[in-house]
Amino acid sequence: QRSQWPQALALLAETWQSQRYPQSLFNAAISACGRGSQWAQSLALLASMRLNGPEPDVISHNAAMSACVRSREWQFALRLLE
């Protein structure tokens, strides 16, 4: 399912423009990016949630950490634990 991350980001952008920000959509996009080895994009989405909402939850953080771990970006995964 690595090829689904572009569709997840497109759906997120469409939703963003309509001023709706469901947390579950962000979490799904973060997870899809992780499965597609797009760890940096996962972290960018998490940062966007922190700045603009919705507030990230444990699922958001776990998805971003998993994205980093899958890409062997251990230092970024560990930073999320701080």
Side-chain angles (χ1 to χ4, degrees):
Q1 317 271 340
R2 294 176 186 259
S3 62
Q4 291 183 346
W5 69 268
Q7 291 88 351
L9 292 181
L11 182 58
L12 185 60
E14 180 182 312
T15 303
W16 190 278
Q17 291 173 352
S18 69
Q19 301 296 319
R20 295 177 308 189
Y21 310 112
Q23 189 179 54
S24 59
L25 182 58
F26 273 91
N27 291 345
I30 292 170
S31 294
C33 287
R35 286 190 302 274
S37 300
Q38 301 297 311
W39 64 271
Q41 186 65 51
S42 291
L43 293 180
L45 289 170
L46 186 66
S48 175
M49 289 177 79
R50 288 179 179 151
L51 292 174
N52 305 310
E55 186 69 27
D57 61 5
V58 68
I59 296 170
S60 313
H61 285 94
N62 284 342
M65 279 194 285
S66 292
C68 293
V69 169
R70 282 185 174 152
S71 294
R72 302 193 194 289
E73 296 293 338
W74 309 107
Q75 68 277 19
F76 291 102
L78 290 173
R79 286 185 194 164
L80 292 173
L81 294 173
E82 295 175 352

